[in-house]
Amino acid sequence: MMIDALPNPTTLNGADCIRILGVRIEDVDMQAACDLIKVMIESGGVHQVATVNPEFIIRARRDATFARVLEHTELNVPDGVGVIWAARRQGRLLHERVSGADLLPQLCARGSQYGWRVFFLGAKPGVAERAAANMAFQYQGLVVAGARAGSPHPDGDADSLAVIERAKPHLLFVAYGAPEQEHWLARNLPRLAQSQNGLVGIGVGGSFDYVSGIQKRASLRMQRLGLEWLYRLMREPRRFWRQLALVRFVIAVLTDSRATISI
Ligand code: UDP
């Protein structure tokens, strides 16, 4: 199915949503995103959440499998200043940017209040454990159900699934970067459906690197100026080729016949 051919839904999960270059994104702020995730946990079953940034959208244009995964996620939050800008060209002022690196601690804060069990999967060996320990220290009462690097490759699925099944988390953060983390969740969440009460899996990119303290995040000022991408590029120049996706995104949005209103 071509995602470009899909209708532009106005509400999903009670939140307004739009399509940017065919990819569905819910117009939620941090509070609404956390509230929806709470509802998902309480409603039982397994649910997938994605933090959609311009790199995701460019990827989805040439990767039909990834596009399908993003179509079937229950909630796609707007991540990245580019997404906010592209929405504005459609005449839509999205509430705010909701990045994985911000969503993770917010959900840990709520998890410590509601008794959620939280699992950290991904990043380099030892980083998930450090991220989990820092969150548990910061949010007293947070129950860390488990933490491990695991592997984004299907070969590693059985080992990770066995550990996660035993841990019975309510929240599963997966940090393998896109699209691997989204594929990991789409492949494995259904396998966890029998054994869980209510489980939300979220791909969180480089967030473990930040909350573990092994990477420094851009200052709030740079984030507010929409320059976090520039900060990451300066710190990691090898991201240059990846970040060309931003240029492709801008060109695609500017030449997209569906985005006609400019404000
Ligand atoms: N990662 C991993 N295994 C891999 C590739 C990446 O665990 O095979 C981790 C990496 O260590 C990092 C995260 O995935 O913690 C992705 O970070 P990236 O900066 O690529 O994601 P972004 O924040 O840009 O989405």
Side-chain angles (χ1 to χ4, degrees):
M1 177 169 40
M2 287 269 295
I3 55 167
D4 282 6
L6 289 166
N8 196 2
T10 51
T11 62
L12 196 96
N13 298 319
D16 282 347
C17 56
I18 58 163
R19 285 192 184 279
I20 294 176
L21 300 174
V23 176
R24 194 197 82 240
I25 296 174
E26 271 73 54
D27 179 13
V28 285
D29 59 11
M30 183 60 76
Q31 175 74 38
C34 292
D35 290 348
L36 283 171
I37 289 167
K38 180 169 182 278
V39 170
M40 290 177 205
I41 290 173
E42 289 171 354
S43 69
V46 292
H47 312 265
Q48 184 171 353
V49 174
T51 63
V52 176
N53 66 28
E55 269 187 59
F56 280 55
I57 295 172
I58 287 301
R59 174 87 195 198
R61 277 164 79 80
R62 60 180 166 84
D63 178 346
T65 313
F66 185 47
R68 256 195 311 278
V69 169
L70 293 179
E71 194 53 35
H72 288 101
T73 42
E74 210 140 327
L75 173 65
N76 289 337
V77 299
D79 183 4
V81 66
V83 168
I84 308 288
W85 165 77
R88 204 162 60 208
R89 282 189 50 84
Q90 294 183 25
R92 289 286 297 271
L93 288 172
L94 296 184
H95 282 87
E96 67 176 335
R97 174 184 174 210
V98 180
S99 73
D102 293 321
L103 188 58
L104 184 151
Q106 288 289 331
L107 287 171
C108 287
R110 282 166 178 77
S112 70
Q113 263 179 284
Y114 302 129
W116 293 341
R117 300 171 60 76
V118 184
F119 199 105
F120 296 73
L121 176 71
K124 296 206 174 77
V127 177
E129 289 84 345
R130 277 174 69 169
N134 283 357
M135 287 294 98
F137 178 74
Q138 202 165 333
Y139 302 107
Q140 300 287 318
L142 181 72
V143 183
V144 174
R148 72 192 320 256
S151 163
H153 304 293
D155 294 353
D157 288 359
D159 282 352
S160 291
L161 281 176
V163 177
I164 295 166
E165 259 174 13
R166 277 198 301 275
K168 297 201 180 350
H170 297 96
L171 270 177
L172 170 60
F173 295 119
V174 182
Y176 290 136
E180 285 77 11
Q181 60 200 12
E182 281 68 35
H183 288 312
W184 192 98
L185 283 164
R187 198 168 63 235
N188 290 300
L189 277 179
R191 298 174 184 165
L192 290 165
Q194 300 302 318
S195 52
Q196 304 294 328
N197 298 320
L199 168 64
V200 175
I202 311 175
V204 291
S207 304
F208 293 1
D209 299 342
Y210 298 129
V211 295
S212 65
I214 69 159
Q215 278 272 7
K216 202 167 155 347
R217 204 173 164 199
S219 66
L220 271 180
R221 188 176 151 78
M222 270 194 111
Q223 288 179 43
R224 288 198 189 111
L225 286 171
L227 294 175
E228 188 161 18
W229 61 272
L230 180 61
Y231 176 85
R232 294 190 81 180
L233 184 59
M234 288 186 317
R235 280 187 71 93
E236 299 169 74
R238 65 193 160 77
R239 292 181 74 91
F240 175 80
W241 296 109
R242 257 182 74 174
Q243 292 204 343
L244 278 184
L246 293 178
V247 179
R248 281 194 220 112
F249 178 76
V250 169
I251 294 169
V253 169
L254 291 176
T255 54
D256 180 28
S257 55
R258 287 162 299 193
T260 46
I261 309 164
S262 180
I263 56 171

